[in-house]
Amino acid sequence: MKDILTAPFVEEMKRATANMYRLGWDERNGGNISYLLKEEEVAEYLDLTHVIRTIPTGFDASKLIGKIFIVTGTGKYFKNVEVDPELNLGVIRIAEDGTTAELLWGYRDGGKFTSELPAHLMSHIVRLEKDPAHRVVMHTHPTYTLAMTHIHELDDKAFTHTIWEMCTECIVVFPDGIGVLPWMVCGNNEIGIATAKKMEEYRLVVWGLHGIYGAGKDMDETFGLIETVEKAAQLYMLICNRPHLNTIRDEELKEVAEAFGLTYRKDFLNL
């Protein structure tokens, strides 16, 4: 059996968490990632019949029974994943009861997955129904996106429209737009339910005064969605108090979308 520390999915988690920490998006133990793995891929590195222990998830994830995820740990710092993945990550499988996770590897100190795992699982369920290729859910606290939620209307259309206006690539990268939630208490099922509801329409959900959730087919796509929003939010924060001599007009956003053959939120343009 191969050494799991060399597994591509462990390497992907190490790179992603390191990048997010170095960008300043995940201070202290902020942020969490869950990554749906293929059973045959995991079987090369772990004995799938060996369950280290079981952990209640706090959510009925019956639609995900038997699914295997690698998940960041609760209270763990992204900056430490690179140096000690077995302590800071865990590979779990949703058990037959749907409300328990079987630990197959990781959380070496007796820890467990992020407290926001229910929110992740809810989003996984929704995104897999929309696109079976969507395997990653990523939550982080990008600085400018968070700053923008302090001064901008927290509305799906308004927020998306402003972000789209910031640079040409935005409507190309997320033509489906951005969902936005008001401030809510984190780490509970209520915010998970609200996020999953938004995930029915969007791959990106901004949590007001907190951060952002992204979903995608792999780590690069999901990270790329979030970093594109963050770049646009940075531009917005740099110019929001200055006169706007130039902007991308709605007619031009439509022109870009149609040039790329995109299915986009036409109702988010004022035409």
Side-chain angles (χ1 to χ4, degrees), residues 7-190:
F9 51 85
V10 172
E11 289 296 324
E12 286 182 85
M13 291 290 278
K14 286 165 61 177
R15 286 194 300 271
T17 51
N19 281 334
M20 293 160 79
Y21 178 76
R22 289 167 189 154
L23 285 166
W25 296 358
D26 294 282
E27 69 293 332
R28 201 173 182 270
N29 62 317
N32 28 78
I33 303 173
S34 58
Y35 182 7
L36 174 61
L37 305 176
K38 297 176 181 177
E39 183 174 325
E40 60 272 21
E41 180 182 27
V42 182
E44 296 182 31
Y45 300 91
L46 294 173
D47 177 0
L48 299 183
T49 67
H50 177 62
V51 176
I52 298 170
R53 53 191 166 93
T54 58
I55 311 169
T57 62
F59 168 66
D60 185 358
S62 294
K63 292 183 178 180
L64 297 172
I65 288 172
K67 300 292 188 184
I68 300 173
F69 299 85
I70 186 167
V71 187
T72 50
T74 186
K76 303 304 183 187
Y77 292 32
F78 274 18
K79 69 184 179 70
N80 295 331
V81 174
E82 260 188 324
V83 295
D84 196 346
E86 189 178 2
L87 180 68
N88 297 285
L89 303 173
V91 175
I92 63 169
R93 178 174 57 207
I94 304 302
E96 286 298 320
D97 63 6
T99 62
T100 305
E102 299 170 335
L103 180 64
L104 304 176
W105 174 83
Y107 308 140
R108 192 182 64 239
D109 60 351
K112 64 175 188 175
F113 38 74
T114 170
S115 62
E116 289 176 353
L117 181 67
H120 280 250
L121 296 178
M122 292 178 203
S123 291
H124 275 292
I125 290 169
V126 170
R127 290 315 309 172
L128 286 169
E129 290 173 352
K130 296 294 179 181
D131 188 336
H134 283 186
R135 298 169 57 198
V136 175
V137 171
M138 184 179 289
H139 169 58
T140 184
H141 308 155
T143 307
Y144 291 96
T145 305
L146 180 54
M148 186 173 167
T149 68
H150 283 261
I151 63 171
H152 195 283
E153 182 183 359
L154 298 180
D155 170 80
D156 297 0
K157 177 178 177 178
F159 200 92
T160 297
H161 192 276
T162 297
I163 290 291
W164 278 354
E165 286 182 313
M166 290 301 104
C167 51
T168 304
E169 71 170 342
C170 288
I171 196 170
V172 177
V173 176
F174 38 89
D176 45 339
I178 304 166
V180 184
L181 291 174
W183 180 88
M184 298 176 70
V185 174
C186 60
N188 60 33
N189 286 6
E190 286 70 24

